[in-house]
Amino acid sequence: MVAFNVRPDIDAAAEKLSSSFGAKREIQKLPEVLWEGETVEILATGIYGKGNGLLAMTNQRLVFYFHGVMSQKVEDFPYAKISSVQWAGGMLMGTLTVFTSGNKAEIKQVPKDQGKALADALRQRISAGSAPAGPPVAPAPVAAAAPAPAQDIASRLATLDQLRAQGLVSDEEYAQRRTQILDSL
């Protein structure tokens, strides 16, 4: 397996992939779509819609991420909105179906071992409730679209400092995200 050197949580999940074919770009760019304080627990590859991308089960939500040359797709499924999960496996691949608020998303061509593990973990998460272990983290994207109150800016900077201290963001990523937070003032 290829070493990605993105972030410790993402690297650990990526090492468990049987193949990262079709998802290498997504693994490298995954921190761009994650919220502050969000950590990756399980990764899987699959096809959703028109793209072969990456499924990331985090401590806060399930995310499908496709980053193509001409287009991108990010769809998230908050655990509180997932009503059920269905796994249908074949010899090598399978389909993960996620039912949310009257809709369903079918992620196809998921490698059997990854899909079964992800489906089992999702079932366990939604049956236990959506509360992640540990303190709750505000689901705010890194680059806020609207100006935020000073207290929110301070807490975002503090969270970013903690991530840097834990080695979850590089110095370059820290500087970039700190600038984005301060620019949102």
Side-chain angles (χ1 to χ4, degrees):
M1 185 89 287
V2 176
F4 288 96
N5 297 320
V6 178
R7 232 175 57 181
D9 59 323
I10 295 172
D11 294 342
E15 285 177 13
K16 296 176 186 171
L17 290 173
S18 54
S19 170
S20 59
F21 179 76
K24 290 177 184 168
R25 182 182 301 139
E26 287 81 1
I27 292 170
Q28 291 290 340
K29 296 191 174 283
L30 187 57
E32 296 174 14
V33 298
L34 296 177
W35 297 331
E36 283 186 45
E38 189 172 21
T39 57
V40 174
E41 298 171 357
I42 299 174
L43 292 176
T45 58
I47 298 173
Y48 181 53
K50 297 179 184 177
N52 188 14
L54 185 70
L55 271 168
M57 182 176 167
T58 75
N59 61 331
Q60 298 182 28
R61 61 191 171 141
L62 177 67
V63 179
F64 179 83
Y65 181 40
F66 165 72
H67 189 283
V69 176
M70 301 295 282
S71 65
Q72 287 185 21
K73 179 176 188 164
V74 177
E75 186 157 347
D76 67 341
F77 307 93
Y79 296 130
K81 302 283 185 192
I82 297 175
S83 57
S84 69
V85 176
Q86 185 178 66
W87 170 251
M91 286 187 69
L92 299 174
M93 302 288 192
T95 300
L96 179 71
T97 307
V98 179
F99 295 90
T100 60
S101 305
N103 296 315
K104 77 175 184 176
E106 287 187 341
I107 298 100
K108 299 178 180 183
Q109 296 299 310
V110 179
K112 188 176 180 178
D113 58 337
Q114 297 169 20
K116 172 124 178 49
L118 186 62
D120 291 344
L122 277 171
R123 282 190 197 100
Q124 189 173 39
R125 176 64 59 96
I126 63 175
S127 70
S130 63
V137 178
V142 172
Q151 183 179 10
D152 183 48
I153 296 295
S155 69
R156 291 173 67 199
L157 288 171
T159 301
L160 185 59
D161 287 339
Q162 289 174 350
L163 289 171
R164 182 181 183 196
Q166 295 171 355
L168 296 175
V169 293
S170 67
D171 289 340
E172 179 182 305
E173 199 174 16
Y174 171 84
Q176 178 186 12
R177 290 183 183 203
R178 188 172 194 284
T179 301
Q180 288 175 335
I181 292 169
L182 292 175
D183 287 347
S184 70
L185 283 173

